[in-house]
Amino acid sequence: MTVPSLPPVPHPSDSDPAPDDSPRLDVFPADFCWGAATAAYQIEGAAGYDGRKPSIWDTFSHSPDATLNGDTGDIACDHYHRWHDDFDVAKSLNLNAYRFSVSWARLQPTGRGPLNPLAVAHYRAQLERLRALGIRPFVTLYHWDLPQELEDAGGWPARETVDRFAEYAARTAEALGDLATDWITTNESWCQAFLGYGEGKHAPGRRDWRAAVAAAHHLNVAHGLAVRAIRAARADASVGTAQLIVDFVPASSSPADAAAARRWDAYHNQTFLGPLRGGGYPADVLDLYREDGLAELIRPGDDAVMAEPIDFLGVNHYQQVVVAHDDDGTPPLRARDIPAEPALTSLGWSVKPESLRNVLVRVAGEFPDLPLYVTESGASFDDYVDPDGNVLDQERVDYLRRYLAAAGDAIKDGVDLRGYFAWSLLDNFEWAEGYRMRFGLIYVAYDTQARIPKASALWYRDLITDHAALPRPA
Ligand code: IFM
């Protein structure tokens, strides 16, 4: 593929406004991973191809009123057929790392038994190509695409799904492990458990708080078993999980608001971070789910499985949320968000670069010896193709500049940060929001499947080039 002609973009070192909020490149280690991330259902399309069977997202997105405009991932970015060209564009942006998920419903269509050889061949070809391009792959096993047959058997609230995931992880690591060193077990377990089973906004669309709590626990155990399975297949694998970490800030200095922020933190962050540290769930988390059966779900040995040592932790970070106590709020949270002030993304999420620094410093403090990666960070804006055929997304350039500066500040604070993966490489299917929200570095014209690197992509490319050109001690 010919990489499209490049629009004029400000160079990182002469961007406007003045670069005092630009990243200090010399603080990023020489081998820093400059990457972008995607997920299978959001980009692949080819829903019924080569033996793939439905996942919960196929079923959910085809249900009435589940997604904006009834959008589905049936075609998405057609990356299943266009990945070769997409990787060429990624290479042209100088990315040296790429995080993507393999589709469980493609690799093991019913959620049990041998892998689908066509899917194995597909992902092996992708991994081989990434290696040939010098792009380090980070393979995510689970980014929310549970095979529908497993949902029909109870889904994540059923303990059986944990064993199915362990089997899938083992078979996948055996099939692909010679081509990938870096593995991510689960992605944003909070979204799967609570948006999927609690609020019904994501697949499978269930609204059952107890089921959500059970799903959360089973995702934690599934993660630990997958770590073991990957290591068994490839002893030198580097394994972690990618969790959504929100920066919760109390609305005031009142003890009630501070307690509310703590409850949100327990719910959103510590439900998944806590058990990784060992010793089971923290007291705040157990308190939160006291009425919801969490304690009864924990089997002997689960605490150790959930705390299976990992090699890195992936931080997916998007926003700071200001939280106030609310007597009328639904228990057990009894809290509400204070709407963010501008600047906002088109999803209404706050733009507060210091929140990235806050969460990195905080997570590094909780996991002192663990390398961190920002496995997702990005923003949706109302991008459009201008009459010259360019996508001049200055808001995203500013966003990246300021968030990368915050990441650099965290490194200066002592955080062992090894990489940054912009969400996302491509505009894609943004779940319940369909195709309206555009997060990509690369614009996707869904009617033609044309790709146009946005100004932010070119800004990022230049930043990576400048970082690589820094003089290094011999
Ligand atoms: O698109 C999602 C991604 O799948 C998981 N993290 C958040 C992104 C933006 O909402």
Side-chain angles (χ1 to χ4, degrees):
M1 174 189 181
T2 318
V3 177
S5 63
L6 308 178
V9 282
H11 190 270
S13 60
D14 59 27
S15 55
D16 185 25
D20 52 349
D21 59 358
S22 294
R24 280 251 328 263
L25 289 181
D26 57 347
V27 304
F28 293 89
D31 59 353
F32 195 75
C33 289
W34 298 104
T38 60
Y41 190 72
Q42 293 181 271
I43 63 168
E44 283 186 351
Y49 276 65
D50 289 346
R52 182 185 179 281
K53 286 199 166 191
S55 75
I56 53 176
W57 266 100
D58 295 277
T59 309
F60 182 74
S61 65
H62 280 271
S63 311
D65 303 323
T67 65
L68 186 77
N69 302 322
D71 289 346
T72 74
D74 288 0
I75 298 172
C77 308
D78 196 28
H79 179 75
Y80 187 74
H81 297 112
R82 297 168 191 266
W83 60 268
H84 209 278
D85 291 349
D86 289 338
F87 288 178
D88 283 349
V89 181
K91 182 66 187 169
S92 78
L93 299 179
N94 291 343
L95 302 188
N96 62 16
Y98 175 55
R99 173 179 174 233
F100 69 107
S101 76
V102 289
S103 160
W104 190 352
R106 205 179 281 291
L107 276 164
Q108 200 186 31
T110 62
R112 334 169 171 262
L115 297 188
N116 166 10
L118 293 174
V120 171
H122 174 77
Y123 291 121
R124 287 192 65 82
Q126 288 200 339
L127 288 166
E128 276 162 5
R129 180 68 185 152
L130 288 169
R131 282 160 68 104
L133 291 170
I135 298 176
R136 179 171 159 188
F138 284 66
V139 181
T140 304
L141 283 174
Y142 188 69
H143 200 123
W144 311 346
D145 47 1
L146 183 72
Q148 181 62 40
E149 289 194 26
L150 293 185
E151 175 60 22
D152 297 342
W156 283 110
R159 180 78 189 203
E160 160 75 5
T161 302
V162 171
D163 299 326
R164 299 281 56 79
F165 187 67
E167 184 202 18
Y168 158 66
R171 289 181 186 267
T172 302
E174 279 157 20
L176 306 178
D178 57 321
L179 296 174
T181 309
D182 300 288
W183 292 82
I184 291 171
T185 56
T186 43
N187 179 75
E188 295 185 6
S189 305
W190 179 85
C191 297
Q192 176 60 98
F194 290 98
L195 292 181
Y197 291 91
E199 295 185 29
K201 292 179 178 163
H202 276 192
R206 287 164 64 176
R207 291 197 178 87
D208 176 346
W209 178 260
R210 284 180 79 90
V213 171
H217 177 60
H218 293 151
L219 281 155
N220 286 331
V221 179
H223 151 77
L225 290 179
V227 175
R228 290 181 181 173
I230 295 166
R231 289 237 176 79
R234 177 166 181 161
D236 66 342
S238 175
V239 192
T241 176
Q243 296 299 331
L244 181 64
I245 312 296
V246 180
D247 186 28
F248 290 108
V249 175
S252 76
S253 56
S254 76
D257 287 348
R262 232 184 126 87
R263 287 195 298 279
W264 271 92
D265 183 58
Y267 166 53
H268 240 283
N269 300 333
Q270 293 304 327
T271 298
F272 305 98
L273 291 185
L276 294 174
R277 289 194 293 272
Y281 290 98
D284 279 358
V285 173
L286 289 169
D287 271 0
L288 196 66
Y289 307 123
R290 194 163 298 288
E291 309 294 317
D292 306 304
L294 174 60
E296 296 84 75
L297 290 166
I298 303 170
R299 295 190 182 173
D302 280 2
D303 288 353
V305 172
M306 295 190 289
E308 183 66 26
I310 50 179
D311 301 291
F312 66 87
L313 188 55
V315 172
N316 292 7
H317 178 69
Y318 288 91
Q319 54 173 336
Q320 183 177 85
V321 173
V322 179
V323 183
H325 177 80
D326 181 358
D327 275 327
D328 299 327
T330 316
L333 290 169
R334 291 201 191 286
R336 67 190 152 83
D337 301 353
I338 308 293
E341 294 161 9
L344 296 176
T345 71
S346 54
L347 267 170
W349 296 352
S350 63
V351 178
K352 299 248 174 175
E354 68 273 19
S355 70
L356 178 60
R357 179 182 184 174
N358 293 346
V359 297
L360 289 173
V361 168
R362 183 239 172 124
V363 171
E366 291 178 354
F367 295 85
D369 298 319
L370 209 54
L372 305 184
Y373 290 87
V374 175
T375 34
E376 287 184 27
S377 162
S380 62
F381 294 111
D382 296 327
D383 305 321
Y384 60 93
V385 184
D386 73 14
D388 297 324
N390 297 324
V391 181
L392 299 179
D393 58 337
Q394 187 58 43
E395 287 162 305
R396 190 172 290 98
V397 172
D398 293 341
Y399 184 100
L400 281 174
R401 189 186 67 244
R402 297 173 65 208
Y403 274 71
L404 280 166
D409 289 341
I411 294 174
K412 279 189 271 174
D413 292 337
V415 174
D416 181 6
L417 184 67
R418 305 276 177 98
Y420 180 93
F421 292 82
W423 184 269
S424 176
L425 179 66
L426 302 166
D427 289 338
N428 60 48
F429 175 73
E430 176 53 23
W431 308 112
E433 300 291 339
Y435 292 98
R436 186 168 53 122
M437 298 299 164
R438 291 182 177 273
F439 276 89
L441 295 172
I442 298 168
Y443 185 92
V444 176
Y446 295 111
D447 50 348
T448 61
Q449 293 292 351
R451 281 31 175 175
I452 304 173
K454 301 177 191 176
S456 57
L458 307 178
W459 180 90
Y460 194 40
R461 174 200 63 190
D462 290 348
L463 176 117
I464 299 167
T465 310
D466 287 355
H467 177 256
L470 285 179
R472 305 273 170 204

